[in-house]
């Protein structure tokens, strides 16, 4: 019973329609993988205060520079909405650890 949640760091561009198109392009199962947006202030507050993950817009970005600063870490959240770990999405060893933690988490009692 694993679900995935992707939050945009650019909610002004990433409307629900844009995110739906993106999800379809990835062939994401809508019952298991949700793509969320909302007011930028709320999204950033959730990322930073709830998940302890950085997200910032760089309003002074020049052409070719990143307009948004955000992490590539994944947060593992349990059914009680507790952060159980962070994993680097670009590191195969970290992703293997995430898989092990998911298996262990699924064996815990709710």
């Amino acid at each position: 019973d694993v679900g995935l949640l992707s939050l945009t760091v650019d909610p002004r561009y990433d409307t629900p329609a844009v995110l739906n198109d993106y999800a379809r392009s990835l062939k994401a199962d809508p019952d298991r993988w949700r793509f969320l947006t909302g007011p930028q202030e709320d999204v950033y507050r959730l990322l930073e205060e709830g998940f302890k993950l950085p997200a910032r817009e760089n309003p002074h970005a020049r052409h070719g520079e990143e307009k948004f600063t955000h992490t590539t870490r994944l947060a593992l959240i349990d059914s009680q909405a507790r952060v159980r770990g962070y994993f680097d999405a670009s590191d195969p060893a970290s992703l293997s650890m995430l898989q092990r933690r998911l298996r262990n988490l699924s064996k815990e009692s709710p």
Side-chain angles (χ1 to χ4, degrees), residues 1-2 6 9-12 17 21 37-38 41 43 45 48 50 52 54 56 65 67 71 84-85 92 99 104 110:
D1 294 331
V2 174
S6 293
V9 294
D10 186 5
R12 284 190 295 269
D21 288 345
T37 188
E41 185 177 297
V43 170
R45 186 179 315 108
E48 293 176 346
K52 309 296 186 220
R56 285 278 171 244
E65 292 180 333
K67 187 173 178 182
T71 185
R84 300 295 290 265
Q99 290 177 323
N104 291 339

Side-chain angles (χ1 to χ4, degrees), residues 7 12-13 17 21 24 33 37-38 41 50 62 68 77 91 104 109:
L7 293 167
R12 284 190 295 269
Y13 173 78
D21 288 345
R24 277 194 295 278
W33 193 354
T37 188
E41 185 177 297
R62 296 184 181 144
F68 297 92
I77 312 296
D91 177 27
N104 291 339
S109 300

Side-chain angles (χ1 to χ4, degrees), residues 8-27:
T8 180
V9 294
D10 186 5
R12 284 190 295 269
Y13 173 78
D14 289 331
T15 63
V18 168
L19 292 176
N20 283 336
D21 288 345
Y22 183 60
R24 277 194 295 278
S25 76
L26 296 174
K27 297 183 172 83

Side-chain angles (χ1 to χ4, degrees), residues 25-63:
S25 76
L26 296 174
K27 297 183 172 83
D29 178 349
D31 292 329
R32 293 182 55 124
W33 193 354
R34 309 282 175 144
F35 293 78
L36 298 181
T37 188
Q40 186 170 7
E41 185 177 297
D42 294 342
V43 170
Y44 284 12
R45 186 179 315 108
L46 175 61
L47 285 168
E48 293 176 346
E49 294 175 17
F51 298 129
K52 309 296 186 220
L53 296 171
R56 285 278 171 244
E57 181 175 5
N58 179 3
H60 306 293
R62 296 184 181 144
H63 182 69

